[in-house]
Amino acid sequence: MMTVLYGIGTVVRFILRVVLLPVQAVLTLVMLAMAFIGSLACTLFEILGTLGVICGLYEFISSTGSATSGWQFLIGGILLVIIPQALIIWGEAGLLNLKDLLARI
């Protein structure tokens, strides 16, 4: 009886691996697309964040600006750089974990 169950389990596992192969391929393509688009987005947001930090420093240096708007520019510029990078890192880690989970089947 155990041999029969083992044989059925082996067949089901093989069928699942064959069925999940296209899913693995699609996840790999999604990861590659996410890395490409993410690098473009990070570059754009790095430029915008740098401009925000420069504007914040200018607000501190200039006598016409207030310190509140200087801090807002600094914090906004830093967040513009950090948030997209964090989303890309967490997204890729999540996809890798999903691929690892599917590979264990």
Side-chain angles (χ1 to χ4, degrees), residues 34-50:
M34 195 164 131
F36 175 71
I37 294 171
S39 67
L40 292 177
C42 280
T43 303
L44 174 69
F45 282 110
E46 282 176 2
I47 292 169
L48 292 174
T50 303

Side-chain angles (χ1 to χ4, degrees), residues 10 13 15-16 20 30 33 35 38 43 47 49 54 58 64 66 71-72 75 92-93 101 103:
T10 304
R13 187 174 181 194
I15 291 172
L16 275 175
L20 291 177
V30 168
T43 303
I47 292 169
I54 290 171
Y58 177 74
T64 59
S66 67
W71 282 112
Q72 289 173 351
I75 292 171
E92 287 180 353
L101 177 70

Side-chain angles (χ1 to χ4, degrees), residues 11-105:
V11 170
V12 169
R13 187 174 181 194
F14 177 75
I15 291 172
L16 275 175
R17 282 189 177 202
V18 170
V19 169
L20 291 177
L21 188 61
V23 175
Q24 290 272 9
V26 168
L27 286 175
T28 302
L29 290 175
V30 168
M31 284 179 53
L32 292 172
M34 195 164 131
F36 175 71
I37 294 171
S39 67
L40 292 177
C42 280
T43 303
L44 174 69
F45 282 110
E46 282 176 2
I47 292 169
L48 292 174
T50 303
L51 289 175
V53 169
I54 290 171
C55 288
L57 292 175
Y58 177 74
E59 287 291 324
F60 282 131
I61 294 171
S62 71
S63 59
T64 59
S66 67
T68 304
S69 64
W71 282 112
Q72 289 173 351
F73 275 119
L74 277 173
I75 292 171
I78 292 169
L79 288 177
L80 272 175
V81 175
I82 292 173
I83 290 174
Q85 288 179 351
L87 290 176
I88 290 169
I89 290 169
W90 292 337
E92 287 180 353
L95 286 175
L96 279 174
N97 287 338
L98 181 60
K99 283 185 66 167
D100 185 42
L101 177 70
L102 293 176
R104 290 183 187 178
I105 293 177

